[in-house]
Coordinates of all heavy atoms in Angstrom, one line a residue:
M1 N -10.9 41.2 -2.2 CA -10.6 40.9 -0.8 C -9.3 40.2 -0.7 O -9.1 39.1 -1.3 CB -11.7 40.0 -0.3 CG -11.6 39.7 1.2 SD -13.0 38.6 1.8 CE -12.6 37.1 1.0
A2 N -8.3 40.7 0.0 CA -7.0 40.1 0.2 C -7.2 38.9 1.1 O -7.9 38.9 2.1 CB -6.1 41.1 0.7
N3 N -6.4 37.9 0.8 CA -6.5 36.7 1.6 C -5.2 36.6 2.5 O -4.1 36.7 2.0 CB -6.6 35.5 0.8 CG -6.9 34.2 1.6 OD1 -6.0 33.8 2.3 ND2 -8.1 33.7 1.6
E4 N -5.5 36.5 3.8 CA -4.3 36.5 4.8 C -3.5 35.3 4.6 O -2.3 35.3 5.0 CB -4.9 36.6 6.2 CG -5.4 38.0 6.4 CD -6.1 38.1 7.8 OE1 -5.9 37.2 8.6 OE2 -6.9 39.1 7.9
I5 N -4.1 34.2 4.2 CA -3.2 32.9 4.2 C -2.3 32.9 3.0 O -1.2 32.6 3.1 CB -4.2 31.7 4.2 CG1 -5.0 31.7 5.4 CG2 -3.4 30.4 4.1 CD1 -6.2 30.7 5.4
T6 N -2.9 33.2 1.8 CA -2.0 33.1 0.6 C -1.4 34.4 0.1 O -0.5 34.4 -0.7 CB -2.9 32.5 -0.5 OG1 -4.0 33.5 -0.8 CG2 -3.5 31.2 -0.2
G7 N -2.0 35.5 0.6 CA -1.5 36.8 0.2 C -2.0 37.2 -1.2 O -1.6 38.2 -1.7
T8 N -2.8 36.4 -1.7 CA -3.3 36.7 -3.1 C -4.4 37.8 -2.9 O -5.1 37.9 -2.0 CB -3.9 35.5 -3.7 OG1 -4.5 35.9 -5.0 CG2 -5.0 34.8 -2.9
T9 N -4.6 38.6 -4.0 CA -5.6 39.6 -4.0 C -6.8 39.1 -4.9 O -7.7 39.9 -5.1 CB -5.1 41.0 -4.5 OG1 -4.4 40.7 -5.7 CG2 -4.1 41.6 -3.5
E10 N -6.6 37.9 -5.4 CA -7.7 37.3 -6.3 C -9.0 37.4 -5.5 O -9.2 36.9 -4.4 CB -7.4 35.9 -6.5 CG -8.3 35.2 -7.5 CD -8.2 35.8 -8.9 OE1 -7.1 36.1 -9.4 OE2 -9.3 36.0 -9.5
P11 N -10.0 38.2 -6.1 CA -11.2 38.4 -5.2 C -12.3 37.2 -5.2 O -13.0 37.1 -4.2 CB -11.9 39.6 -6.0 CG -11.4 39.5 -7.4 CD -10.1 38.8 -7.3
G12 N -12.2 36.4 -6.2 CA -13.3 35.4 -6.2 C -12.8 34.0 -5.8 O -11.6 33.7 -5.7
C13 N -13.8 33.1 -5.8 CA -13.6 31.7 -5.5 C -12.8 31.1 -6.7 O -13.0 31.4 -7.8 CB -14.9 31.0 -5.4 SG -14.9 29.2 -5.4
E14 N -11.8 30.3 -6.3 CA -10.9 29.7 -7.4 C -11.6 28.7 -8.3 O -11.0 28.2 -9.3 CB -9.6 29.1 -6.7 CG -8.7 30.3 -6.2 CD -7.4 29.8 -5.7 OE1 -6.7 29.1 -6.5 OE2 -7.0 30.0 -4.6
L15 N -12.8 28.2 -7.9 CA -13.4 27.3 -8.8 C -14.6 28.0 -9.6 O -14.7 27.9 -10.7 CB -14.0 26.1 -8.0 CG -12.9 25.1 -7.5 CD1 -13.6 24.0 -6.7 CD2 -12.1 24.5 -8.6
C16 N -15.5 28.7 -8.9 CA -16.6 29.2 -9.6 C -16.4 30.7 -9.9 O -17.2 31.2 -10.8 CB -17.9 29.1 -8.7 SG -17.9 30.1 -7.3
G17 N -15.5 31.4 -9.3 CA -15.2 32.7 -9.7 C -16.1 33.8 -9.0 O -15.9 35.0 -9.2
R18 N -17.0 33.3 -8.2 CA -17.9 34.3 -7.5 C -17.2 35.0 -6.4 O -16.4 34.4 -5.7 CB -19.1 33.5 -7.0 CG -20.0 32.8 -8.0 CD -21.2 32.1 -7.4 NE -20.8 31.4 -6.2 CZ -21.6 31.3 -5.1 NH1 -22.8 31.8 -5.1 NH2 -21.2 30.6 -4.1
V19 N -17.5 36.3 -6.2 CA -16.9 37.0 -5.1 C -17.7 36.8 -3.9 O -18.9 37.3 -3.7 CB -16.8 38.5 -5.5 CG1 -16.2 39.3 -4.4 CG2 -16.0 38.7 -6.8
K20 N -17.2 36.0 -3.0 CA -17.9 35.6 -1.8 C -16.8 35.4 -0.6 O -15.6 35.4 -0.9 CB -18.5 34.2 -2.0 CG -19.7 34.1 -3.0 CD -20.9 34.7 -2.3 CE -22.0 34.8 -3.4 NZ -23.2 35.4 -2.8
P21 N -17.3 35.4 0.6 CA -16.3 35.0 1.6 C -15.6 33.6 1.3 O -16.4 32.7 1.0 CB -17.1 34.9 3.0 CG -18.3 35.7 2.6 CD -18.6 35.5 1.2
L22 N -14.3 33.6 1.4 CA -13.6 32.4 1.0 C -13.0 31.7 2.2 O -12.6 32.3 3.1 CB -12.5 32.7 -0.1 CG -13.0 33.5 -1.3 CD1 -11.8 33.8 -2.2 CD2 -14.0 32.7 -2.1
T23 N -12.9 30.3 2.1 CA -12.2 29.6 3.0 C -11.1 28.7 2.3 O -11.3 28.4 1.1 CB -13.1 28.6 3.8 OG1 -13.9 27.8 2.9 CG2 -14.1 29.4 4.7
F24 N -10.0 28.4 3.0 CA -9.0 27.7 2.4 C -9.2 26.2 2.4 O -9.3 25.6 3.5 CB -7.7 28.0 3.2 CG -6.4 27.6 2.5 CD1 -5.9 28.2 1.4 CD2 -5.7 26.5 3.0 CE1 -4.8 27.8 0.8 CE2 -4.5 26.1 2.4 CZ -4.0 26.7 1.3
H25 N -9.2 25.6 1.2 CA -9.3 24.2 1.1 C -7.9 23.5 0.9 O -7.2 23.9 0.0 CB -10.2 23.8 -0.1 CG -10.2 22.3 -0.5 ND1 -10.7 21.4 0.4 CD2 -9.6 21.7 -1.5 CE1 -10.5 20.1 -0.1 NE2 -9.9 20.4 -1.3
H26 N -7.5 22.7 1.9 CA -6.2 22.0 1.8 C -6.4 20.9 0.7 O -7.2 20.0 0.9 CB -5.8 21.4 3.1 CG -5.4 22.4 4.1 ND1 -6.2 23.2 4.9 CD2 -4.1 22.9 4.4 CE1 -5.6 23.9 5.7 NE2 -4.3 23.8 5.4
L27 N -5.6 21.0 -0.3 CA -5.7 19.9 -1.4 C -5.2 18.6 -0.8 O -5.6 17.6 -1.2 CB -4.9 20.3 -2.6 CG -5.7 21.4 -3.5 CD1 -4.8 22.1 -4.4 CD2 -6.8 20.7 -4.2
I28 N -4.3 18.7 0.2 CA -4.0 17.5 1.0 C -4.5 17.8 2.4 O -4.0 18.6 3.1 CB -2.4 17.3 1.0 CG1 -1.9 17.2 -0.5 CG2 -2.0 16.1 1.8 CD1 -0.8 18.0 -0.8
P29 N -5.6 17.2 2.8 CA -6.3 17.5 4.0 C -5.4 17.4 5.3 O -4.6 16.4 5.3 CB -7.5 16.5 4.0 CG -7.7 16.1 2.6 CD -6.3 16.1 2.0
C30 N -5.7 18.3 6.2 CA -4.9 18.3 7.5 C -5.0 16.9 8.2 O -4.0 16.6 8.8 CB -5.5 19.3 8.4 SG -5.4 21.0 7.8
A31 N -6.1 16.2 8.0 CA -6.2 14.9 8.6 C -5.0 13.9 8.3 O -4.8 13.0 9.0 CB -7.6 14.3 8.3
V32 N -4.4 14.1 7.1 CA -3.4 13.2 6.7 C -2.0 13.7 6.8 O -1.0 13.1 6.5 CB -3.6 12.6 5.3 CG1 -5.0 12.1 5.1 CG2 -3.3 13.7 4.2
H33 N -1.9 15.0 7.4 CA -0.6 15.6 7.4 C 0.5 14.9 8.3 O 1.6 15.1 8.1 CB -0.7 17.1 7.9 CG -1.3 18.0 6.9 ND1 -1.3 19.4 7.0 CD2 -1.9 17.7 5.7 CE1 -1.8 19.9 5.9 NE2 -2.2 18.9 5.1
R34 N -0.1 14.1 9.2 CA 0.9 13.3 10.1 C 1.1 11.9 9.6 O 1.8 11.1 10.2 CB 0.3 13.3 11.5 CG 0.3 14.7 12.1 CD -0.6 14.7 13.3 NE -0.1 14.1 14.4 CZ 0.5 14.8 15.5 NH1 0.6 16.0 15.4 NH2 0.9 14.1 16.5
T35 N 0.5 11.5 8.4 CA 0.7 10.2 7.9 C 2.0 10.2 7.1 O 2.3 11.0 6.2 CB -0.5 9.9 6.9 OG1 -1.7 10.2 7.6 CG2 -0.5 8.5 6.4
K36 N 2.8 9.2 7.5 CA 4.2 9.0 6.9 C 4.2 9.0 5.4 O 5.0 9.6 4.7 CB 4.9 7.8 7.4 CG 5.5 8.0 8.8 CD 6.3 6.7 9.2 CE 6.7 6.9 10.6 NZ 6.9 5.5 11.2
R37 N 3.2 8.3 4.9 CA 3.2 8.2 3.4 C 3.0 9.5 2.7 O 3.7 9.8 1.7 CB 2.0 7.2 3.1 CG 1.7 7.0 1.6 CD 0.9 5.7 1.5 NE -0.5 5.9 1.9 CZ -1.5 6.3 1.1 NH1 -1.2 6.6 -0.2 NH2 -2.7 6.4 1.5
F38 N 2.2 10.3 3.2 CA 1.9 11.7 2.6 C 3.1 12.6 2.9 O 3.5 13.5 2.1 CB 0.6 12.2 3.0 CG -0.5 11.4 2.4 CD1 -1.3 10.6 3.3 CD2 -0.8 11.4 1.1 CE1 -2.4 9.9 2.7 CE2 -1.8 10.7 0.6 CZ -2.6 9.9 1.4
L39 N 3.6 12.5 4.2 CA 4.8 13.3 4.5 C 6.0 13.1 3.6 O 6.6 14.0 3.1 CB 5.2 13.0 5.9 CG 4.6 13.8 7.1 CD1 5.0 13.3 8.4 CD2 4.9 15.3 7.0
A40 N 6.2 11.8 3.2 CA 7.3 11.4 2.3 C 7.0 11.9 0.9 O 7.9 12.4 0.2 CB 7.5 9.9 2.3
R41 N 5.7 11.9 0.5 CA 5.4 12.2 -0.9 C 5.3 13.7 -1.1 O 5.8 14.2 -2.1 CB 4.0 11.6 -1.1 CG 3.5 11.8 -2.5 CD 2.3 10.9 -2.7 NE 1.5 11.3 -3.8 CZ 0.2 10.9 -4.1 NH1 -0.3 10.0 -3.2 NH2 -0.4 11.3 -5.1
F42 N 4.8 14.5 -0.2 CA 4.6 15.9 -0.4 C 5.6 16.8 0.4 O 5.9 17.9 0.0 CB 3.2 16.3 -0.1 CG 2.2 15.7 -1.0 CD1 1.4 14.6 -0.5 CD2 2.1 16.0 -2.3 CE1 0.5 14.0 -1.2 CE2 1.1 15.3 -3.2 CZ 0.3 14.3 -2.6
G43 N 5.9 16.4 1.6 CA 6.6 17.3 2.6 C 5.6 18.1 3.3 O 4.5 18.4 2.8
K44 N 6.0 18.5 4.6 CA 5.1 19.2 5.5 C 4.6 20.5 4.9 O 3.4 20.9 5.0 CB 5.9 19.4 6.8 CG 5.0 19.6 8.0 CD 5.8 19.6 9.2 CE 5.0 20.1 10.4 NZ 5.8 20.2 11.6
E45 N 5.6 21.4 4.4 CA 5.2 22.7 4.0 C 4.3 22.7 2.8 O 3.3 23.4 2.8 CB 6.5 23.4 3.6 CG 6.2 25.0 3.7 CD 7.4 25.8 3.3 OE1 8.6 25.4 3.6 OE2 7.2 26.8 2.6
E46 N 4.6 21.8 1.9 CA 3.7 21.7 0.7 C 2.3 21.3 1.1 O 1.3 21.8 0.6 CB 4.3 20.6 -0.2 CG 3.5 20.3 -1.5 CD 3.5 21.4 -2.5 OE1 4.3 22.3 -2.4 OE2 2.6 21.3 -3.4
M47 N 2.2 20.4 2.1 CA 0.8 20.0 2.5 C 0.1 21.1 3.2 O -1.2 21.2 3.0 CB 0.9 18.8 3.5 CG 1.4 17.5 2.8 SD 1.1 16.0 3.7 CE 2.2 16.2 5.0
Q48 N 0.8 22.0 3.9 CA 0.2 23.1 4.6 C -0.2 24.3 3.6 O -1.2 24.9 3.9 CB 1.1 23.6 5.7 CG 1.1 22.7 6.9 CD 2.2 23.0 7.9 OE1 3.1 23.9 7.6 NE2 2.2 22.4 9.0
T49 N 0.5 24.4 2.5 CA 0.3 25.5 1.7 C -0.4 25.2 0.4 O -1.0 26.2 -0.2 CB 1.7 26.2 1.3 OG1 2.5 25.2 0.8 CG2 2.3 26.8 2.6
R50 N -0.4 24.0 0.0 CA -1.1 23.7 -1.2 C -2.6 23.7 -1.0 O -3.2 22.9 -0.3 CB -0.7 22.4 -1.8 CG -1.2 22.2 -3.3 CD -1.1 20.8 -3.7 NE 0.3 20.3 -4.0 CZ 0.5 19.2 -4.6 NH1 -0.4 18.5 -5.1 NH2 1.8 18.8 -4.8
G51 N -3.3 24.7 -1.6 CA -4.8 24.7 -1.5 C -5.4 25.7 -2.4 O -4.8 26.4 -3.2
L52 N -6.7 25.8 -2.2 CA -7.5 26.7 -3.0 C -8.4 27.6 -2.1 O -8.9 27.0 -1.1 CB -8.5 25.9 -3.9 CG -7.8 25.0 -4.9 CD1 -8.9 24.0 -5.5 CD2 -7.1 25.7 -6.0
N53 N -8.6 28.8 -2.5 CA -9.6 29.6 -1.7 C -10.9 29.5 -2.4 O -11.1 29.8 -3.5 CB -9.1 31.1 -1.8 CG -7.9 31.3 -0.9 OD1 -7.9 31.0 0.3 ND2 -6.8 31.7 -1.6
L54 N -11.8 29.0 -1.6 CA -13.2 28.6 -2.1 C -14.3 29.2 -1.4 O -14.2 29.5 -0.2 CB -13.3 27.0 -2.1 CG -12.3 26.2 -2.8 CD1 -12.6 24.7 -2.5 CD2 -12.1 26.5 -4.2
C55 N -15.4 29.4 -2.1 CA -16.6 29.9 -1.5 C -17.2 28.7 -0.7 O -16.9 27.5 -1.0 CB -17.6 30.5 -2.5 SG -18.3 29.2 -3.6
S56 N -18.2 28.9 0.1 CA -18.7 27.8 1.0 C -19.5 26.8 0.1 O -19.4 25.6 0.4 CB -19.6 28.4 2.1 OG -20.7 29.1 1.5
L57 N -20.1 27.2 -0.9 CA -20.8 26.2 -1.8 C -19.9 25.3 -2.4 O -20.1 24.0 -2.4 CB -21.7 26.9 -2.8 CG -23.1 27.5 -2.4 CD1 -23.7 28.1 -3.6 CD2 -23.9 26.4 -1.8
C58 N -18.8 25.8 -3.1 CA -17.8 24.9 -3.7 C -17.2 24.0 -2.7 O -17.0 22.8 -2.9 CB -16.8 25.8 -4.4 SG -17.4 26.5 -5.9
H59 N -16.8 24.7 -1.5 CA -16.0 23.9 -0.6 C -16.8 22.8 0.0 O -16.4 21.6 0.1 CB -15.6 24.9 0.5 CG -14.4 24.4 1.3 ND1 -13.7 25.2 2.2 CD2 -13.8 23.2 1.4 CE1 -12.7 24.5 2.7 NE2 -12.8 23.3 2.3
N60 N -18.1 23.1 0.4 CA -18.9 22.0 1.0 C -19.1 20.9 0.0 O -19.2 19.7 0.3 CB -20.2 22.6 1.5 CG -20.0 23.5 2.7 OD1 -19.0 23.4 3.4 ND2 -21.0 24.4 3.0
G61 N -19.4 21.3 -1.3 CA -19.7 20.4 -2.3 C -18.5 19.4 -2.5 O -18.8 18.2 -2.6
I62 N -17.3 19.9 -2.5 CA -16.2 18.9 -2.6 C -16.2 17.9 -1.5 O -16.0 16.7 -1.7 CB -14.8 19.8 -2.5 CG1 -14.7 20.5 -3.9 CG2 -13.6 18.8 -2.4 CD1 -13.6 21.6 -3.8
H63 N -16.4 18.4 -0.2 CA -16.3 17.5 0.9 C -17.5 16.5 0.9 O -17.4 15.4 1.4 CB -16.1 18.2 2.2 CG -14.7 18.8 2.3 ND1 -13.6 18.0 2.6 CD2 -14.2 20.1 2.1 CE1 -12.5 18.8 2.7 NE2 -12.9 20.0 2.3
D64 N -18.6 17.0 0.4 CA -19.8 16.1 0.3 C -19.5 15.0 -0.8 O -19.9 13.9 -0.6 CB -21.0 16.9 -0.1 CG -21.6 17.6 1.1 OD1 -21.2 17.3 2.2 OD2 -22.5 18.4 0.9
L65 N -19.0 15.4 -1.9 CA -18.7 14.5 -3.0 C -17.6 13.5 -2.8 O -17.6 12.4 -3.2 CB -18.5 15.3 -4.3 CG -19.7 16.0 -4.9 CD1 -19.3 17.1 -5.8 CD2 -20.6 15.0 -5.7
I66 N -16.6 14.0 -2.1 CA -15.4 13.2 -1.8 C -15.1 13.2 -0.3 O -14.3 14.0 0.2 CB -14.1 13.7 -2.6 CG1 -14.5 13.9 -4.0 CG2 -13.0 12.7 -2.4 CD1 -13.5 14.9 -4.7
P67 N -15.9 12.5 0.5 CA -15.8 12.6 2.0 C -14.5 12.0 2.6 O -14.2 12.3 3.6 CB -17.1 11.9 2.5 CG -17.5 11.0 1.3 CD -17.0 11.6 0.1
K68 N -13.9 11.1 1.8 CA -12.7 10.5 2.4 C -11.4 11.3 2.2 O -11.0 11.6 1.1 CB -12.5 9.1 1.7 CG -13.5 8.1 2.1 CD -13.3 6.8 1.4 CE -14.5 5.8 1.7 NZ -14.6 4.9 0.6
E69 N -10.8 11.7 3.3 CA -9.7 12.6 3.2 C -8.5 11.9 2.5 O -7.7 12.6 1.8 CB -9.3 13.0 4.7 CG -10.0 14.3 5.1 CD -10.6 14.2 6.4 OE1 -10.6 13.1 7.0 OE2 -11.1 15.2 6.9
K70 N -8.3 10.6 2.7 CA -7.2 10.0 2.0 C -7.4 9.9 0.5 O -6.4 10.0 -0.2 CB -7.0 8.5 2.6 CG -6.2 8.6 3.9 CD -5.8 7.2 4.3 CE -5.1 7.3 5.7 NZ -5.3 6.2 6.6
E71 N -8.7 9.8 0.1 CA -8.9 9.8 -1.3 C -8.6 11.2 -1.9 O -8.1 11.3 -3.0 CB -10.4 9.5 -1.5 CG -10.7 9.0 -2.9 CD -12.1 8.6 -3.1 OE1 -12.8 8.4 -2.2 OE2 -12.5 8.6 -4.3
L72 N -9.0 12.3 -1.2 CA -8.7 13.6 -1.6 C -7.2 13.8 -1.7 O -6.7 14.3 -2.8 CB -9.2 14.6 -0.6 CG -10.6 15.1 -0.6 CD1 -11.0 15.9 0.6 CD2 -10.9 15.9 -1.9
A73 N -6.5 13.3 -0.8 CA -5.0 13.5 -0.8 C -4.3 12.6 -1.9 O -3.4 13.1 -2.5 CB -4.4 13.1 0.6
D74 N -4.9 11.5 -2.1 CA -4.3 10.6 -3.1 C -4.7 11.0 -4.6 O -3.8 11.0 -5.5 CB -4.9 9.2 -2.9 CG -3.9 8.3 -2.1 OD1 -2.7 8.6 -2.2 OD2 -4.4 7.4 -1.4
K75 N -5.9 11.3 -4.8 CA -6.4 11.4 -6.2 C -6.8 12.8 -6.6 O -6.9 13.1 -7.8 CB -7.6 10.6 -6.4 CG -7.4 9.1 -6.2 CD -8.7 8.3 -6.5 CE -8.6 6.9 -6.1 NZ -10.0 6.3 -6.0
Y76 N -7.0 13.7 -5.6 CA -7.6 15.0 -6.0 C -6.7 16.1 -5.3 O -7.2 17.1 -4.8 CB -9.0 15.2 -5.5 CG -9.9 14.1 -6.1 CD1 -10.3 13.0 -5.4 CD2 -10.2 14.1 -7.5 CE1 -11.0 11.9 -5.9 CE2 -10.9 13.1 -8.1 CZ -11.4 12.0 -7.3 OH -12.1 11.0 -7.9
N77 N -5.4 16.0 -5.4 CA -4.5 16.9 -4.7 C -4.0 18.1 -5.5 O -3.1 18.9 -5.2 CB -3.3 16.2 -4.1 CG -2.6 15.3 -5.2 OD1 -2.2 15.8 -6.3 ND2 -2.4 14.0 -4.9
T78 N -4.7 18.3 -6.8 CA -4.5 19.6 -7.5 C -5.8 20.0 -8.0 O -6.8 19.3 -8.0 CB -3.6 19.4 -8.7 OG1 -4.3 18.6 -9.7 CG2 -2.2 18.7 -8.4
K79 N -5.9 21.3 -8.4 CA -7.1 21.9 -8.9 C -7.6 21.1 -10.1 O -8.8 20.8 -10.3 CB -6.9 23.3 -9.2 CG -8.1 24.1 -9.7 CD -7.8 25.5 -9.9 CE -8.9 26.3 -10.7 NZ -8.5 27.7 -10.8
V80 N -6.7 20.8 -11.0 CA -7.0 20.1 -12.2 C -7.6 18.7 -11.9 O -8.6 18.3 -12.5 CB -5.7 19.9 -13.1 CG1 -5.9 19.0 -14.3 CG2 -5.2 21.3 -13.6
L81 N -7.0 18.0 -11.0 CA -7.5 16.6 -10.6 C -8.9 16.7 -10.0 O -9.8 15.9 -10.3 CB -6.5 15.9 -9.7 CG -5.2 15.5 -10.2 CD1 -4.2 15.0 -9.1 CD2 -5.4 14.3 -11.2
L82 N -9.1 17.8 -9.2 CA -10.4 18.0 -8.6 C -11.5 18.2 -9.6 O -12.5 17.6 -9.6 CB -10.2 19.2 -7.6 CG -11.1 19.3 -6.4 CD1 -11.0 18.0 -5.6 CD2 -10.6 20.5 -5.6
L83 N -11.1 19.0 -10.6 CA -12.1 19.3 -11.7 C -12.3 18.2 -12.6 O -13.3 18.1 -13.4 CB -11.7 20.6 -12.4 CG -11.9 21.9 -11.6 CD1 -11.3 23.1 -12.3 CD2 -13.4 22.2 -11.4
A84 N -11.4 17.2 -12.6 CA -11.6 16.0 -13.4 C -12.6 15.0 -12.8 O -13.0 14.1 -13.5 CB -10.2 15.3 -13.6
H85 N -12.9 15.2 -11.6 CA -14.0 14.5 -10.9 C -15.4 14.9 -11.5 O -15.7 16.1 -11.4 CB -14.0 14.7 -9.4 CG -15.0 13.9 -8.6 ND1 -16.3 14.1 -8.8 CD2 -14.8 12.9 -7.7 CE1 -17.0 13.2 -8.0 NE2 -16.1 12.5 -7.3
P86 N -16.2 14.1 -12.2 CA -17.3 14.5 -12.9 C -18.3 15.2 -11.9 O -19.0 16.2 -12.3 CB -17.9 13.2 -13.4 CG -16.9 12.2 -13.3 CD -15.9 12.6 -12.3
G87 N -18.4 14.7 -10.7 CA -19.4 15.3 -9.8 C -18.9 16.7 -9.4 O -19.8 17.6 -9.3
V88 N -17.7 16.9 -9.2 CA -17.2 18.3 -8.8 C -17.3 19.2 -10.0 O -17.8 20.3 -9.7 CB -15.7 18.2 -8.4 CG1 -15.0 19.5 -8.1 CG2 -15.5 17.3 -7.1
A89 N -17.0 18.8 -11.2 CA -17.1 19.7 -12.3 C -18.6 20.1 -12.5 O -18.9 21.3 -12.7 CB -16.7 18.9 -13.6
K90 N -19.5 19.1 -12.3 CA -20.9 19.4 -12.4 C -21.4 20.4 -11.3 O -22.1 21.3 -11.5 CB -21.7 18.1 -12.3 CG -23.1 18.1 -12.9 CD -23.7 16.7 -12.9 CE -25.2 16.8 -12.9 NZ -25.8 15.6 -12.5
H91 N -20.9 20.1 -10.1 CA -21.2 21.0 -9.0 C -20.8 22.5 -9.2 O -21.5 23.4 -9.0 CB -20.6 20.4 -7.7 CG -20.9 21.2 -6.5 ND1 -22.1 21.3 -5.9 CD2 -20.0 22.1 -5.8 CE1 -22.0 22.2 -4.9 NE2 -20.8 22.6 -4.8
V92 N -19.6 22.6 -9.7 CA -19.0 23.9 -10.0 C -19.9 24.7 -11.0 O -20.2 25.9 -10.9 CB -17.5 23.9 -10.4 CG1 -17.0 25.3 -10.8 CG2 -16.7 23.4 -9.2
Q93 N -20.3 24.0 -12.0 CA -21.1 24.5 -13.1 C -22.4 25.1 -12.5 O -22.9 26.1 -12.8 CB -21.4 23.5 -14.2 CG -20.2 23.2 -15.0 CD -19.6 24.5 -15.6 OE1 -20.2 25.4 -16.1 NE2 -18.3 24.5 -15.5
W94 N -22.9 24.3 -11.5 CA -24.2 24.6 -10.8 C -24.0 25.9 -9.9 O -24.7 26.9 -10.0 CB -24.7 23.5 -10.0 CG -25.9 23.9 -9.1 CD1 -27.2 24.0 -9.5 CD2 -25.8 24.2 -7.7 NE1 -27.9 24.3 -8.5 CE2 -27.2 24.5 -7.4 CE3 -24.8 24.3 -6.8 CZ2 -27.5 24.9 -6.1 CZ3 -25.2 24.7 -5.5 CH2 -26.5 25.0 -5.1
V95 N -22.8 25.9 -9.2 CA -22.5 27.0 -8.3 C -22.4 28.3 -9.1 O -22.8 29.4 -8.7 CB -21.2 26.7 -7.5 CG1 -20.8 28.0 -6.6 CG2 -21.4 25.5 -6.6
K96 N -21.8 28.2 -10.3 CA -21.6 29.4 -11.1 C -22.9 30.1 -11.4 O -22.9 31.3 -11.6 CB -20.9 29.0 -12.4 CG -19.4 28.9 -12.3 CD -18.8 28.5 -13.6 CE -17.3 28.3 -13.5 NZ -16.7 27.8 -14.7
K97 N -24.0 29.4 -11.4 CA -25.3 30.0 -11.7 C -26.0 30.5 -10.5 O -27.1 31.1 -10.6 CB -26.2 28.9 -12.4 CG -25.7 28.5 -13.7 CD -26.6 27.4 -14.3 CE -25.9 26.6 -15.4 NZ -26.4 25.2 -15.4
Q98 N -25.4 30.3 -9.3 CA -26.1 30.8 -8.1 C -25.6 32.2 -7.9 O -24.6 32.7 -8.4 CB -25.6 30.0 -6.9 CG -25.8 28.4 -7.1 CD -27.2 28.1 -7.5 OE1 -28.2 28.4 -7.0 NE2 -27.3 27.3 -8.7
K99 N -26.4 33.0 -7.1 CA -26.1 34.4 -6.9 C -25.0 34.5 -5.9 O -25.0 33.8 -4.9 CB -27.4 35.1 -6.4 CG -28.3 35.4 -7.6 CD -29.4 36.4 -7.2 CE -30.4 36.5 -8.3 NZ -31.7 37.1 -7.9
Ligands
ZN1 ZN1 -17.0 28.7 -5.5
ZN2 ZN1 -11.6 21.6 2.3

């Protein structure tokens, strides 16, 4: 399934690899895009384009485990950082086993 936002043809979720309908997770959440601190740190375009295409289980899991948008933007703004969160890593392992 081609993704209109990123132009990638990668068919599966970028965390669990399952082929499912995907939604775009902003690694720097939209809620902080107008915050000066983050604008200075990342720049507007980077904040809009840096993200992952995720299935709903992975995506919801991330926002449940890390509900604070500023924390996501500060500490979990790359895929590697996100997977370094023990809860997220565990969640992804669980999602991989789902149909
Ligand atoms: Zn997934
Ligand atoms: Zn998200």
Side-chain angles (χ1 to χ4, degrees):
M1 185 178 72
N3 187 289
E4 286 171 21
I5 299 166
T6 61
T8 177
T9 51
E10 189 62 43
C13 168
E14 290 189 51
L15 288 179
C16 70
R18 298 181 317 145
V19 179
K20 293 280 172 186
L22 305 177
T23 53
F24 190 74
H25 169 66
H26 287 84
L27 283 161
I28 300 130
C30 298
V32 307
H33 286 192
R34 292 159 77 98
T35 307
K36 275 185 191 154
R37 180 158 71 89
F38 293 109
L39 270 172
R41 187 167 157 194
F42 300 106
K44 202 174 172 187
E45 199 182 328
E46 176 72 14
M47 293 197 290
Q48 283 168 353
T49 54
R50 193 195 287 194
L52 301 169
N53 289 300
L54 304 178
C55 70
S56 60
L57 279 181
C58 287
H59 202 169
N60 291 339
I62 287 169
H63 289 284
D64 282 349
L65 288 157
I66 313 161
K68 289 182 190 151
E69 272 131 352
K70 280 189 180 146
E71 198 178 345
L72 277 170
D74 264 328
K75 298 184 193 164
Y76 303 105
N77 52 52
T78 68
K79 181 176 168 177
V80 171
L81 288 170
L82 208 51
L83 286 170
H85 183 295
V88 172
K90 203 175 154 195
H91 178 70
V92 171
Q93 289 309 312
W94 174 80
V95 175
K96 281 181 182 174
K97 292 177 201 151
Q98 309 309 305
K99 280 189 185 163

